[in-house]
């Protein structure tokens, strides 16, 4: 089966997804990329070149906190977790996204109806 | 980690960044290996999927938000290294800037001390001096009668005071001392709003006859003649044969109307000389505007009261006018000081043009280095930033050295200028002056740096280098250098002409013949106080004894 078409994410949306993944527990960058790909069933594949700048930006804004911890393999990795400020931001942005998505869906449905 | 910490720990962050990105690639590689790929293929695949490692690092570095500060610091270190190696150019440039900035700072310290430093009176902009003007004389004083009329009639002033200077002899405290003092109404101190350091200023009743034998000392006189005695209040001093009780000592730095006057006694307008000559124009007048009164309102009140007062003198051309009290002492001095400041600013400009030319010549020798940087992709902005920082570093070094020179120069200025510039004795290199030196250092660095850096960073010049033979002349740079030299010469001519004219005037003044031979002649004044020498005969006897004593000195005639 051919791989499903990749969708390019606008930057604000990428931040939102990263925050959501980190809300589930401390996780390092590679795990975030994997999780995003798995959960979205390969639709969302983030080029690593934009993942890490986004992670660092979120960390500098205080929405994520980072810690270097050893992994199961013994190597050290940088684990990110959500801060309280990040949690608040996540809630706000999730609500905003849901509103937007609902509005877009309404408009799209309207076109189909008008065509009848 | 806040912004400063991110800047400070840059090396640490770089290491961690590298570690983080490599960890990602290794995890991917291991995942591919577990899937059965060969090691070389796995590594290649992981790297391809990642995209460029360096590009990702660059983006993460941008995300740090400290790039601009890092590049500035980097340029600063590089500039310091290159300047230290430029043994020919750097010392000369720094010396030129040191002279220019030093001279400007010295004159500015005088300007600050005389014209800009805050006055010792609270809300000094509400203090106003009154004068009368007649066609032949712009500043005429007031008579006691006129002053009393003004005091009673005015509503614009919250307090109005009068004062007059006089010569006194202080006896009984060491050698007799001739000095100047001020007779001042108690309302004058009220208007000025200053309090004594010890004791008090005059009370209103001391302005009346019988209570006026009290005395306020200046800080300088108190230290000089009264040994800074802390128990001075209540003691008495003999002035011109009469005894006065000391009631106060003013704070250091306070002087009114100028530093010439070292003590104050009350001006009792209903007695003494003021009573004898109620229409003599003896009194200078100064007062504090009542709150909320504007200068326009003051002017209209003056017009009103003048019309009332001068209606009796039909056809008089007397006008009353006012000026801010601060201007009184400063107006004569303002013009020469500003002229000096302009002259020294020209010197600074000449130094700037000089250093700009030096830097331009030097950049010609660095063409190779700059061409390589352009080829590597450095934006023009970055090259200009680098060259400007070098210029500012030179200016900063010059400014530091110049401030040190200024410290010495200000001492010289204080001694030289004390006679002609009142207030210059307090000139010193204090914080405002240092801030000024720092500001003009940065400004001059930008000014003389902008021309060489813009010219040297032009891409076109470097591209021409690629094809042409080595040693091609950069036409624009040569033209700019010639322009700078012309500008320097023009400024020098202006300065030399000005100096020449001033010297010419001075020589003419000095060679004016006073009509007598003035060599080896000394003049002196003798004050015979009224109290001890009550009639003309006694005074004559005094003068004769002085003349006899003088004749007895060998060599005098």
């Amino acid at each position: 089966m051919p791989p499903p078409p990749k969708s390019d994410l606008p930057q604000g949306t990428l931040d939102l997804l990263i925050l959501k993944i980190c809300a589930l527990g401390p996780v390092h960058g590679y795990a975030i990329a994997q999780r995003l790909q798995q959960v979205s069933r390969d639709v969302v594949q983030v080029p690593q070149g934009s993942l890490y700048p986004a992670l660092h930006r979120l960390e500098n804004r205080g929405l994520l906190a980072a810690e270097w911890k050893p992994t199961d393999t013994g190597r050290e990795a940088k684990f990110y977790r959500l801060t309280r400020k990040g949690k608040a931001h996540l809630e706000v942005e999730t609500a905003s996204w849901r509103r937007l998505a609902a509005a877009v869906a309404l408009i799209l449905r309207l076109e189909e109806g008008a065509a009848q | 980690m806040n912004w400063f910490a991110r800047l400070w720990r840059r090396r640490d962050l770089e290491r961690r960044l590298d570690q983080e990105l490599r960890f990602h690639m290794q995890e991917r590689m291991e995942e591919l290996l577990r899937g059965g790929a060969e090691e070389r293929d796995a590594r290649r695949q992981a790297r391809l999927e990642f995209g460029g490692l360096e590009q990702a690092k660059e983006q993460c570095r941008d995300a740090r938000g400290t790039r601009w500060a890092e590049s500035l610091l980097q340029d600063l270190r590089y500039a310091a290294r290159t300047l230290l190696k430029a043994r020919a150019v750097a010392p000369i440039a720094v010396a030129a800037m040191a002279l220019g900035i030093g001279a400007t700072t010295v004159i500015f310290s005088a300007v600050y001390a005389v014209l800009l430093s805050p006055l010792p009176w609270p809300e000094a902009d509400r203090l106003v001096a009154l004068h009368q003007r007649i066609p032949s004389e712009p500043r005429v004083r007031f008579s006691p009668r006129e002053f009393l009329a003004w005091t009673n009639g005015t509503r614009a002033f919250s307090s109005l005071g009068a004062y007059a200077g006089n010569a006194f002899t202080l006896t009984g405290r060491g050698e007799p001392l001739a000095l100047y003092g001020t007779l001042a109404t108690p309302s004058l101190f009220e208007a000025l709003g200053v309090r004594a350091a010890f004791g008090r200023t005059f009370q209103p009743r001391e302005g009346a006859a019988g209570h006026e034998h009290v005395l306020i000392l200046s800080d300088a006189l108190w230290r000089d003649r009264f040994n800074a005695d802390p128990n001075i209040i209540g003691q008495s001093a003999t002035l011109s044969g009469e005894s006065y009780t000391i009631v106060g000592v003013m704070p250091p730095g306070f002087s009114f109307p100028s530093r010439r006057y070292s003590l104050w006694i009350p001006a009792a307008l209903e007695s003494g000389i003021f009573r004898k000559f109620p229409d003599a124009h003896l009194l200078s007048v100064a007062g504090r505007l009542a709150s909320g009164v504007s200068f326009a309102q003051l002017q209209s009140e003056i017009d009103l009261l003048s019309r009332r007062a001068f209606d009796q003198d039909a056809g008089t051309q007397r006008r009353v006018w006012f000026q801010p009290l601060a201007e009184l002492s400063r107006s004569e001095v303002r013009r020469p000081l500003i002229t000096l400041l302009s002259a020294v600013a020209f010197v600074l400009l000449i130094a700037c043009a000089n250093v700009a030319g030096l830097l331009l010549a030097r950049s010609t020798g660095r063409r190779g280095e700059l061409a390589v940087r352009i080829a590597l992709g450095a934006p023009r902005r970055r090259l200009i930033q680098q060259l400007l920082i070098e210029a500012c570093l030179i200016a900063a070094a010059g400014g530091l050295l110049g401030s040190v020179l200024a410290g010495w120069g200000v001492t010289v200025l204080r001694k030289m200028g004390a006679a002609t510039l009142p207030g210059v004795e307090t000139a010193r290199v204090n914080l405002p002056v240092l801030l000024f030196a720092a500001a003009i250092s940065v400004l001059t660095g930008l000014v003389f740096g902008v021309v060489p850096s813009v010219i040297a960073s032009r891409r076109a010049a470097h591209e021409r280098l690629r094809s042409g033979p080595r040693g091609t002349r950069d036409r624009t740079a040569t033209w700019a250098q010639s322009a700078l030299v012309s500008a320097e010469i023009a400024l020098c001519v202006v300065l030399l002409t000005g100096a020449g004219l001033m010297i010419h005037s001075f020589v003419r003044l000095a060679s004016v013949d006073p009509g007598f031979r003035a060599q080896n002649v000394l003049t002196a004044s003798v004050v015979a106080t009224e109290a001890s020498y009550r009639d003309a005969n006694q005074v004559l006897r005094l003068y004769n004894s002085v003349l006899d004593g003088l004749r007895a000195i060998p060599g005098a005639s």
Side-chain angles (χ1 to χ4, degrees), chain B residues 101-186:
Chain B
I101 296 180
T104 316
T105 308
V106 168
I107 301 297
F108 180 78
S109 71
V111 167
Y112 181 79
V114 175
L115 295 180
L116 295 176
S117 58
L119 292 160
W121 315 308
E123 287 184 53
D125 54 332
R126 306 291 292 165
L127 288 172
V128 154
L130 287 180
H131 309 283
Q132 306 193 72
R133 178 192 290 138
I134 56 176
S136 54
E137 182 65 46
R139 279 207 191 97
V140 174
R141 293 194 269 254
F142 290 75
S143 68
R145 214 199 292 269
E146 284 163 356
F147 173 70
L148 284 170
W150 275 92
T151 316
N152 293 331
T154 186
R155 241 168 267 159
F157 285 101
S158 63
S159 44
L160 195 63
Y163 58 97
N166 201 8
F168 296 92
T169 319
L170 177 68
T171 50
R173 302 263 176 178
E175 293 234 333
L177 174 68
L179 46 71
Y180 290 100
T182 309
L183 288 91
T185 59

Side-chain angles (χ1 to χ4, degrees), chain A residues 18-79:
Chain A
I18 291 177
L19 288 177
K20 180 66 184 180
I21 305 272
C22 292
L24 307 173
V27 60
H28 58 64
Y30 184 66
I32 295 179
Q34 276 194 312
R35 193 72 70 81
L36 280 174
Q37 192 171 336
Q38 281 170 3
V39 174
S40 71
R41 301 194 203 130
D42 277 353
V43 173
V44 176
Q45 289 179 34
V46 189
Q48 281 71 320
S50 32
L51 173 66
Y52 282 95
L55 278 171
H56 284 224
R57 250 195 320 270
L58 289 170
E59 186 191 347
N60 290 338
R61 280 170 60 188
L63 302 175
L64 291 176
E67 214 179 352
W68 282 87
K69 286 204 289 244
T71 57
D72 321 325
T73 54
R75 279 201 296 273
E76 273 209 325
K78 194 175 180 190
F79 283 80

Side-chain angles (χ1 to χ4, degrees), chain A residues 1 7 45 48 68 76 98 107 116:
Chain A
M1 192 174 96
S7 308
Q45 289 179 34
Q48 281 71 320
W68 282 87
E76 273 209 325
R98 290 213 173 102
I107 294 175
Q116 281 176 352

Side-chain angles (χ1 to χ4, degrees), chain B residues 203-241:
Chain B
Q203 291 168 343
R205 68 189 177 113
E206 281 155 353
H211 298 274
E212 75 270 31
H213 278 243
V214 288
L215 169 64
I216 299 179
L217 299 173
S218 70
D219 182 77
L221 187 61
W222 175 63
R223 284 176 204 281
D224 192 33
R225 276 292 164 138
F226 295 84
N227 297 319
D229 182 357
N231 300 315
I232 193 73
I233 311 296
Q235 295 185 21
S236 66
T238 313
L239 276 184
S240 302

Side-chain angles (χ1 to χ4, degrees), chain B residues 136-138 190 274 277 280 283 298 300 304 333 343 350 366 375 387 398 402 411 440 469 482 519 523-524 527:
Chain B
S136 54
E137 182 65 46
E190 196 189 314
F274 302 113
F277 303 104
L283 297 172
L298 174 62
S300 44
L304 181 66
V333 172
I350 293 175
R366 295 170 71 185
L387 293 169
T411 332
I440 56 170
S482 312
Q519 280 117 321
T523 59
V527 176

